[in-house]
């Protein structure tokens, strides 16, 4: 019998209780799941999301792993009390949701749908968009989510450029990496999709200088991390016409304050951090599989590299 602590915002327990119990049972794991710590030393695994009140992992001396419900682990990876193996969440539902959000908004901007959807007066605007093969889309970040989005866009025949901090190879994608690889990618991009993790190296990556590398009228999509962009620089680039539009799903402060200029800017679309969400049914199976692996002495899935921060 393994003992699992579920430490997450209170509302999540109602969503995960049945799927997690079912997934553990299907994996052949006899488990007791608790939401109160009790004896920390008796806990074998911690299922974790920020906001559950757990910040000190020191008492969990018997814990074999901390299993995050989030794909991003920037809020916990630097915690000095966390010495247990940390695994981030990579699940099919999260990936599918991100692919749908990204392809939907890329197609929206590629086809110029806003000209018709947002029109307030009758008009007959017969501007024919280019074919996808004539539009370059840059995907910054080629982890699980970035790779899936890049492949989906390539399947629609967009010319897709990928960029990552370290070398990656994705069949069908023109991949670049490192500081020297970023400018050539941005200089060609009609649409830029940000799917990088938040690290000290990516904090504020899209600043005034890098925005100046974009072709005039380029579109920026950020469903990754709010801290990837310099918000003031994005507003300035919109004002100067360097950016044609910014569609943003994540922000440095969430919920986005009501007085933030993004809300009222005519060329900014705000979506309220809904690009992708962990689905309890599929995420529970990922948690159960990692518990099974740890109990069997096998390597954990999606283990975080502490030095990289993801």
């Amino acid at each position: 019998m393994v003992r699992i602590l579920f430490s997450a915002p209170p509302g999540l327990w109602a969503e995960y209780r049945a799927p997690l119990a079912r997934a553990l049972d299907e994996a052949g794991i006899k488990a007791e799941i608790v939401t109160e710590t009790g004896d920390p030393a008796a806990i074998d695994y911690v299922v974790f999301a920020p906001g559950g009140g757990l910040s000190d992992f020191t008492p969990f001396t018997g814990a074999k792993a901390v299993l995050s419900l989030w794909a991003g682990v920037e809020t916990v990876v630097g915690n000095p009390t966390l010495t247990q193996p940390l695994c981030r969440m990579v699940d099919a539902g999260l990936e599918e949701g991100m692919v749908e959000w990204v392809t939907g908004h890329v197609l929206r901007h590629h086809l110029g749908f806003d000209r018709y959807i947002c029109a307030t007066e009758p008009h007959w605007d017969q501007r024919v968009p280019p074919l996808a093969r004539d539009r370059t889309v840059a995907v910054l970040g080629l982890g699980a989510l970035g790779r899936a989005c890049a492949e989906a866009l390539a399947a629609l025949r967009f010319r897709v450029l990928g960029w990552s901090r370290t070398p990656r190879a994705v069949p069908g994608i023109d991949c670049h990496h490192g500081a020297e690889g970023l400018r050539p990618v941005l200089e060609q991009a009609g649409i830029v999709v940000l799917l990088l993790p938040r690290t000290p190296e990516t904090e504020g990556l899209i600043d005034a200088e890098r925005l100046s590398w974009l072709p005039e009228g380029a579109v920026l999509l950020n469903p990754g991390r709010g801290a990837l962009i310099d918000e003031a620089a994005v507003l300035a680039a919109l004002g100067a016409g360097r950016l044609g539009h910014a569609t943003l799903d994540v922000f440095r402060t969430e919920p986005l304050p009501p007085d933030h200029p993004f809300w009222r800017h005519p060329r900014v679309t705000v979506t309220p951090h809904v690009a992708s969400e962990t689905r309890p049914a599929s995420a529970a199976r990922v948690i159960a599989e990692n518990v099974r692996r740890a109990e069997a002495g096998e390597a954990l899935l999606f283990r975080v590299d502490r030095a990289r921060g993801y």
Side-chain angles (χ1 to χ4, degrees):
M1 176 77 72
V2 299
R3 188 172 173 85
I4 300 172
L5 172 66
F6 187 91
S7 178
L12 289 184
W13 176 234
E15 298 177 24
Y16 274 90
R17 182 174 187 169
L20 188 54
R22 184 166 53 251
L24 290 164
D25 184 62
E26 290 172 354
I29 300 163
K30 293 184 178 180
E32 178 187 10
I33 310 170
V34 298
T35 56
E36 299 292 336
T37 302
D39 178 8
I43 298 296
D44 296 296
Y45 301 93
V46 178
V47 175
F48 175 83
L54 176 58
S55 59
D56 184 2
F57 294 88
T58 306
F60 296 88
T61 54
K64 301 169 188 176
V66 174
L67 308 173
S68 176
L69 291 176
W70 287 11
V73 292
E74 62 270 12
T75 60
V76 68
V77 69
N79 187 323
T81 71
L82 178 62
T83 58
Q84 301 87 346
L86 173 65
C87 298
R88 61 192 179 90
M89 176 56 64
V90 177
D91 97 283
L94 190 152
E95 181 179 295
E96 291 170 25
M98 184 62 78
V99 167
E100 291 172 11
W101 189 96
V102 167
T103 54
H105 283 284
V106 166
L107 285 169
R108 164 200 168 194
H109 292 296
H110 167 65
L111 296 171
F113 281 163
D114 285 10
R115 287 198 300 273
Y116 314 111
I117 295 170
C118 300
T120 57
E121 298 291 338
H123 71 304
W124 190 259
D125 185 354
Q126 283 189 304
R127 278 180 282 176
V128 178
L131 294 172
R133 66 182 180 221
D134 298 320
R135 177 89 69 187
T136 299
V137 180
V139 177
L140 307 192
L142 293 173
L145 297 181
R147 178 177 179 136
C149 291
E151 290 174 335
L153 293 168
L156 291 170
R157 301 190 178 181
F158 286 100
R159 176 176 178 249
V160 181
L161 303 180
W163 182 85
S164 53
R165 289 181 51 234
T166 55
R168 298 285 180 111
V170 182
I173 308 301
D174 183 3
C175 296
H176 302 252
H177 69 277
E180 70 283 357
L182 183 56
R183 182 165 186 162
V185 167
L186 291 180
E187 287 179 338
Q188 301 175 70
I191 300 174
V192 180
V193 182
L194 302 180
L195 282 167
L196 292 157
R198 179 182 179 178
T199 68
E201 293 76 20
T202 64
E203 177 92 21
L205 181 74
I206 303 303
D207 58 10
E209 179 183 5
R210 295 181 177 104
L211 287 166
S212 74
W213 298 344
L214 292 170
E216 187 171 349
V219 171
L220 180 69
L221 308 183
N222 186 17
R225 296 287 180 268
L228 298 176
I229 68 171
D230 178 331
E231 294 182 351
V234 166
L235 288 166
L238 287 163
R242 174 60 59 187
L243 271 183
H245 199 97
T247 295
L248 310 173
D249 184 63
V250 287
F251 307 91
R252 289 178 179 269
T253 301
E254 294 187 3
L256 187 66
D259 60 348
H260 197 289
F262 281 158
W263 284 115
R264 286 167 291 282
H265 199 290
R267 285 182 287 118
V268 174
T269 299
V270 171
T271 63
H273 205 143
V274 294
S276 189
E277 186 65 47
T278 303
R279 270 68 172 179
S282 52
R285 289 191 287 270
V286 176
I287 297 294
E289 173 60 13
N290 258 340
V291 172
R292 186 202 67 76
R293 283 171 170 262
E295 292 299 297
E298 300 174 12
L300 292 165
L301 295 172
F302 319 125
R303 185 165 175 170
V304 171
D305 181 330
R306 301 296 179 87
R308 291 185 175 182
Y310 57 91

